[in-house]
Amino acid sequence: MVTPVRRQYLDLKARYPDAILLFRLGDFYETFDDDAKLVARELDIALTSKPMGSGGRAPLAGVPVRSVEQHLARLVGRGHRVAVCEQLEDPRSARGLVRRGVVRVVSPGTALEPSLLEAGESAACCAIDLRRERQTLQVGLASADVSTGAVFLMQLNGAVNEEEALWERVERELARLGAREIVLAEESPAPPGIALALARQPARSFRADQAEREIEAQYRAPPAAFGLEPESPALGAIGGLLSYLRSTQPDASAGVIESVPAAGSHLAHLSAPRWIEAAGRLEWDRATARALALSDRDAASSGAGGVSLLEVLDRCGSGPGRRWLRTAIGAPLLEIERIETRLDRVEALVRMPQLRRAVSARLRGFPDLERLLSRAAAAMATPSELARLARGLIEAEQIRLDLESSGAAALAALAERLGPAPEAAARLAQTLAEQPPSDYGMGVILAGVDDAVDAGRSQVERARSRLRELEQTLRDESGIDQLKISYHRSYGYLIDLSRGQAARAPVSWERRQSLRERERFSESRLRARELELTTAEQRFADAEREWVDRMRLELVGQAPTVRRAAGAVARLDAASALASVASERAWSRPLLEPSGRLEIEAGRHPIVEAASAAGGFVPNDTELSDDGLRGAQLLLVTGPNMAGKSTYLRQTALIVILAQAGSFVPAQRARIGLVDRIFARVGAHDELSQGRSTFMVEMLETARLLHGATARSLVLLDEIGRGTSTWDGLAIAQAVAESLAGGSGSERIERGPRTLFATHFHELTALAGSLSRVANAAVEVAEDEDGEITFLYRVRAGAADRSYGVQVAAMAGLPEAVVERARTLLAQLERQSGAAVQPPPIPIPAPPLRLTPMVDPIVADLAALDVDGLTPLEAISALYALREEARTELRGARMDVASEVGS
């Protein structure tokens, strides 16, 4: 046998086996059994036990109701699902066991609590459905950000032998969507390399028939209305997602009581699903995101000193603005018309500084309309949150008037979406108290708004007056002048006396609580007045809640209007932020075109420039083309370490991303031929947990870019081939460069990607003489008479002849003895070889068979060379080979002489 409370707990836990059940008992949320052990460990709180019937003592761990939000945030932040069980009736009026039920299930991807959400980041729950058909893989991806109502669909395809690359694409999409939780069918394998909270749903939820029912129940429309094909993985994904979100709804038995808000559906405000087309966006891989420090997550491991591009750009005043800016930078466009629309908005605000400042001031601290609407739809919004939502919509209408009066045509479309505010918002803004209390029944609504509310308020005032009158009557009757009536949460209203006065209490009074210095009593008339007051307070609270709930439902019914206004606010906020950065830092509007050109005049690295002292960044030009008429398709960049090669490569990619995201760019002038993909192989890191060395990771990333780059892509390569032997590295670097430049010999192709190729293999600079699409550039260095160098950070045409490695080592602080020894060894090596020791980059043509042994082998090799057909690079390689052959024969001859002398 178990106690009734224990049985109630076990029944509820059986319905939510995969969630931590917070079971409301009075002023605490308690957990039992394995949940208690987990909660005690995660929250670092005491684990106790409690008798629960003949089954013995059960492990117990609890948290106070008043502080549950902070504990909930910690549990959910660590990937746990939490089912919150409330008391569904007032314990004081309950007959027998208090009725309880789960009113919400909180998980990383379904949280609506402000303490569980980052204002500037999305918080999506995503479902994945993987299908294997012969040699192809199909991944359906459905995403819903319950906190904003945004729903997206995507389908990715790939070959079976490209499964790793396909999952990496899925990982990138999850990051762009701000995924915090993944939903999979039971028995489906977890996606490799994706470290997110994982939830399971029955496999039937992903079947086409069940998915169709889920969609029709949610949207009152068939799947075909949203472009979903029968039996497609995208259909299965949205079905599994909606089924999971519905499982987090409150119990059907969860009624409305004084302490529990009305149960509502947090799915009612979800938007219609929108398709994400990868072909319409600029793409990059994980290595590129890390190298360019696009997000905060990538910045720490990049070369940007922990600062991300988003951090440089974020001047937004609102959460929606930050989320929109993050999305824009994370998924730049390939449609010139849409990019130009964004650029028009930024330019209008750059040209109208007074309007920009006014807009920024209005948007500073602007309410998060999307998330407030979500909480309102789920009946979780407090009166103060509803007031912020309503007043935010009113403020949006005022912003509309500012935009219209400015006459800026580029902002007219946004102005149209900003108003007018729904009537329910206007009524809420006019009738809620200036700073509404958190609970109903405490003056949420102003007087004169609603007859029932006014009547409830009057009843409460009369009951309180009668209670005060009783207090005076009790003083007069008892002769105790210091008597007062106080309220205690557990005992209600009591007569409060000091220990010395307690002896004078009439015998008819009932002693209820004894403290060290106080005694508290009850009395029949006091109990009657208490019942009268609590009844009046309940009626008043019910009247206020009912009135506000009508307005709430009316406002939620206008969800599309609210979402349009929220979207306009987000776009305007982001445009204002980008305009502020552009104005302060003299950024320019880029010219976008569907060509293969890339011309940047006086370009700067936005992150490095932001961290530099005023005027401390040296700008540089970049010119790449795919037509061979002007500019090179591949630019070989040479020069010493620390001189700015990597910065030069990265700034080019960042300027392209900014331009296609719809931002002004840090350059005097920029002409951007649309880029479809960016590949950045910059920096070194390993993946030892997967058995991959630094060089192996480098080669894998290089392989992906060679297979994935198109003629419209931009490729950044920094020091390819340095992780292995010199000969191997140079051979790989040259082969990669030739491939990117269009191939060589019989393997030549029409076009390759626009490429910046930084290298210390100076032999590669000879490619500029043999391949028409290759040009050289060098980072300038000034060297004084003592051999000390100064980095100038200027990129000029031509090739560097030295890497200045020893000088850079000295600047890094290597011991002087080590530096001097390195200088000595370098000089010896240069004297021995006549130049820096390097292997031949191109094998010399094989010599013909020697027909007569009388001809010297070296002479025969020399005679066999096709001097007219050799490129400069092949010629110097052949010369190195002939010299080595001559030295070998000379050493052999000396050994023969020594042998003869010795004999």
Side-chain angles (χ1 to χ4, degrees):
M1 293 291 293
V2 297
T3 64
V5 169
R6 175 68 168 171
R7 172 52 56 197
Q8 189 180 48
Y9 168 82
L10 292 174
D11 289 344
L12 287 169
K13 178 62 181 175
R15 298 175 61 183
Y16 298 93
D18 298 327
I20 297 171
L21 181 61
L22 294 185
F23 190 75
R24 177 74 177 268
L25 283 174
D27 293 336
F28 279 79
Y29 287 107
E30 301 288 2
T31 58
F32 300 94
D33 307 327
D34 290 340
D35 282 357
K37 297 175 184 177
L38 174 61
V39 166
R41 182 174 64 253
E42 293 283 27
L43 302 183
D44 193 21
I45 60 177
L47 178 67
T48 61
S49 62
K50 183 177 182 179
M52 303 295 287
S54 59
R57 302 180 69 88
L60 175 71
V63 297
V65 171
R66 65 178 181 274
S67 60
V68 68
E69 286 282 328
Q70 68 187 64
H71 298 301
L72 192 61
R74 192 168 177 181
L75 291 172
V76 173
R78 296 190 177 187
H80 300 295
R81 298 177 71 228
V82 181
V84 181
C85 170
E86 287 285 1
Q87 297 171 164
L88 302 181
E89 56 185 338
D90 191 335
R92 293 175 295 182
S93 59
R95 294 183 178 179
L97 184 64
V98 175
R99 189 162 56 91
R100 293 179 173 85
V102 172
V103 297
R104 53 182 171 142
V105 178
V106 187
S107 67
T110 63
L112 290 173
E113 289 75 8
S115 61
L116 305 182
L117 301 170
E118 292 289 338
E121 295 185 12
S122 300
C125 183
C126 298
I128 297 174
D129 190 15
L130 172 66
R131 307 283 177 87
R132 297 178 184 270
E133 295 183 6
R134 297 180 182 176
Q135 297 303 310
T136 63
L137 294 174
Q138 292 183 317
V139 175
L141 179 62
S143 167
D145 188 336
V146 176
S147 72
T148 64
V151 180
F152 295 102
L153 294 171
M154 190 174 195
Q155 187 159 310
L156 301 172
N157 302 319
V160 171
N161 59 358
E162 299 173 345
E163 184 169 355
E164 182 178 353
L166 182 62
W167 282 121
E168 186 175 326
R169 288 183 63 194
V170 172
E171 182 184 7
R172 293 198 304 273
E173 295 304 329
L174 292 173
R176 281 171 166 158
L177 291 165
R180 296 178 59 181
E181 184 175 14
I182 300 175
V183 181
L184 297 176
E186 293 173 341
E187 309 301 329
S188 293
I194 299 177
L196 293 171
L198 186 61
R200 295 286 184 176
Q201 278 292 100
R204 64 177 181 276
S205 301
F206 290 78
R207 291 204 305 259
D209 55 346
Q210 181 65 27
E212 290 174 6
R213 286 194 289 271
E214 291 285 355
I215 292 171
E216 290 176 355
Q218 175 65 32
Y219 296 110
R220 303 292 188 269
F226 307 108
L228 287 161
E229 298 291 338
E231 303 297 336
S232 68
L235 176 62
I238 187 67
L241 179 62
L242 290 175
S243 177
Y244 174 70
L245 294 179
R246 206 173 302 282
S247 74
T248 66
Q249 296 291 284
D251 278 346
S253 61
V256 179
I257 64 163
E258 298 79 4
S259 61
V260 182
S265 170
H266 64 238
L267 306 185
H269 70 298
L270 294 184
S271 67
R274 288 178 290 169
W275 282 90
I276 298 174
E277 298 292 345
R281 301 174 312 175
L282 171 57
E283 295 283 329
W284 51 74
D285 58 17
R286 182 172 46 198
T288 300
R290 182 176 55 249
L292 299 180
L294 298 177
S295 69
D296 300 340
R297 184 182 301 122
D298 300 314
S301 57
S302 75
V307 179
S308 69
L309 179 63
L310 279 169
E311 188 175 347
V312 171
L313 300 175
D314 187 4
R315 305 289 184 83
C316 297
S318 69
R322 291 188 180 92
R323 292 195 295 273
W324 194 92
L325 181 63
R326 182 179 294 273
T327 300
I329 297 299
L333 304 174
L334 291 179
E335 299 175 39
I336 291 181
E337 184 176 353
R338 292 178 63 193
I339 299 172
E340 295 292 349
T341 298
R342 294 181 180 182
L343 290 171
D344 288 344
R345 292 199 293 257
V346 176
E347 183 172 8
L349 291 168
V350 168
R351 293 179 179 275
M352 298 180 176
Q354 188 173 355
L355 174 63
R356 183 178 72 248
R357 286 191 288 269
V359 167
S360 296
R362 286 191 181 276
L363 292 177
R364 194 172 299 118
F366 196 85
D368 195 329
L369 301 181
E370 293 173 321
R371 287 184 170 168
L372 288 172
L373 175 66
S374 297
R375 286 180 60 79
M380 293 175 62
T382 65
S384 59
E385 288 175 326
L386 290 173
R388 290 204 304 275
L389 174 58
R391 289 165 188 159
L393 290 167
I394 300 298
E395 183 68 13
E397 192 168 357
Q398 294 302 311
I399 296 174
R400 175 190 185 180
L401 298 178
D402 290 345
L403 298 183
E404 290 177 343
S405 62
S406 72
L411 304 175
L414 293 184
E416 185 178 350
R417 300 174 66 181
L418 286 171
E423 183 180 346
R427 294 185 65 187
L428 278 170
Q430 294 166 4
T431 56
L432 291 178
E434 184 67 26
Q435 292 184 334
S438 58
D439 294 326
Y440 293 102
M442 299 178 65
V444 169
I445 300 171
L446 298 174
V449 173
D450 181 79
D451 292 342
V453 172
D454 289 343
R457 182 183 288 108
S458 297
Q459 290 175 3
V460 169
E461 291 172 354
R462 285 196 299 271
R464 287 175 179 167
S465 176
R466 288 163 68 88
L467 186 62
R468 288 192 295 270
E469 291 173 358
L470 176 62
E471 184 179 54
Q472 186 59 48
T473 298
L474 292 172
R475 287 174 185 164
D476 295 341
E477 291 177 353
S478 65
I480 304 173
D481 293 337
Q482 301 302 316
L483 178 151
K484 63 180 181 179
I485 294 177
S486 62
Y487 178 77
H488 189 277
R489 291 186 62 185
S490 298
Y491 297 99
Y493 287 93
L494 298 174
I495 302 168
D496 194 322
L497 302 177
S498 67
R499 174 73 66 178
Q501 296 167 338
R504 300 168 58 188
V507 295
S508 60
W509 292 4
E510 178 185 348
R511 191 184 303 272
R512 296 296 305 276
Q513 188 180 30
S514 294
L515 304 174
R516 175 178 296 181
E517 297 181 357
R518 312 293 297 179
E519 291 283 350
R520 289 170 178 165
F521 301 83
S522 185
E523 194 260 357
S524 59
R525 287 171 295 175
L526 178 58
R527 288 193 290 272
R529 292 292 181 269
E530 178 180 10
L531 179 59
E532 179 184 2
L533 177 56
T534 55
T535 301
E537 288 175 339
Q538 186 60 57
R539 288 173 179 169
F540 182 33
D542 289 345
E544 284 199 320
R545 182 183 293 107
E546 183 179 348
W547 189 91
V548 173
D549 205 46
R550 287 200 303 270
M551 294 299 100
R552 177 187 67 82
L553 291 173
E554 187 175 332
L555 195 56
V556 172
Q558 297 294 315
T561 300
V562 177
R563 274 200 297 269
R564 280 197 299 272
V569 166
R571 288 165 173 79
L572 181 62
D573 196 7
S576 177
L578 293 174
S580 296
V581 174
S583 179
E584 292 173 12
R585 298 185 177 165
W587 290 11
S588 64
R589 176 169 179 158
L591 171 65
L592 280 300
E593 59 185 34
S595 73
R597 301 205 56 74
L598 181 57
E599 298 175 7
I600 300 171
E601 183 179 330
R604 290 108 63 195
H605 192 299
I607 303 175
V608 178
E609 182 187 38
S612 303
F617 190 90
V618 179
N620 280 296
D621 299 343
T622 303
E623 187 171 354
L624 294 171
S625 176
D626 63 350
D627 57 18
L629 300 178
R630 180 184 175 192
Q633 177 190 311
L634 185 147
L635 192 64
L636 280 163
V637 185
T638 50
N641 285 314
M642 299 293 294
K645 297 194 303 297
S646 295
T647 299
Y648 178 65
L649 268 61
R650 288 183 170 106
Q651 78 183 38
T652 303
L654 290 173
I655 288 172
V656 168
I657 289 172
L658 286 169
Q660 294 188 210
S663 169
F664 278 31
V665 298
Q668 186 172 325
R669 184 183 68 85
R671 178 184 175 189
I672 310 293
L674 290 179
V675 173
D676 63 352
R677 299 198 70 181
I678 294 178
F679 295 90
R681 167 83 279 285
V682 180
H685 70 284
D686 57 44
E687 295 176 358
L688 296 180
S689 62
Q690 301 180 44
R692 295 170 178 173
S693 66
T694 301
F695 181 67
M696 185 59 176
V697 171
E698 177 184 322
M699 291 298 99
L700 287 171
E701 293 174 356
T702 304
R704 280 198 285 268
L705 75 86
L706 290 174
H707 288 298
T710 71
R712 297 178 66 192
S713 300
L714 174 64
V715 172
L716 314 178
L717 285 173
D718 191 13
E719 306 302 345
I720 284 294
R722 301 297 290 184
T724 184
S725 72
T726 305
W727 285 42
D728 286 347
L730 180 55
I732 292 170
Q734 180 174 328
V736 169
E738 289 177 347
S739 175
L740 292 170
S744 60
S746 61
E747 300 297 322
R748 294 189 69 84
I749 59 175
E750 287 274 336
R751 297 164 61 184
R754 288 159 286 183
T755 304
L756 294 175
F757 195 117
T759 183
H760 280 294
F761 291 130
H762 297 132
E763 292 78 7
L764 295 183
T765 59
L767 288 173
S770 60
L771 298 177
S772 62
R773 297 173 182 171
V774 178
N776 287 320
V779 183
E780 290 187 320
V781 176
E783 184 175 10
D784 61 21
E785 295 178 355
D786 297 327
E788 299 293 329
I789 62 172
T790 301
F791 298 131
L792 302 180
Y793 303 109
R794 289 198 298 264
V795 178
R796 60 169 174 81
D801 58 354
R802 299 176 62 189
S803 290
Y804 298 96
V806 175
Q807 289 91 330
V808 173
M811 294 172 64
L814 260 65
E816 185 175 350
V818 174
V819 174
E820 287 304 318
R821 176 59 175 162
R823 287 196 177 104
T824 301
L825 292 173
L826 178 62
Q828 291 176 0
L829 292 170
E830 289 177 341
R831 283 195 302 271
Q832 290 174 4
S833 63
V837 176
Q838 295 287 359
I842 299 178
I844 61 172
L849 293 175
R850 299 188 181 96
L851 301 179
T852 169
M854 299 301 294
V855 180
D856 188 283
I858 298 177
V859 174
D861 288 347
L862 183 61
L865 287 177
D866 180 11
V867 177
D868 294 331
L870 289 177
T871 67
L873 186 59
E874 292 170 336
I876 194 171
S877 299
L879 185 58
Y880 277 127
L882 288 169
R883 185 185 66 182
E884 184 61 29
E885 189 175 353
R887 288 178 174 176
T888 300
E889 289 201 10
L890 182 60
R891 284 194 297 270
R894 286 173 177 171
M895 291 179 64
D896 292 341
V897 171
S899 176
E900 291 179 7
V901 172
S903 62

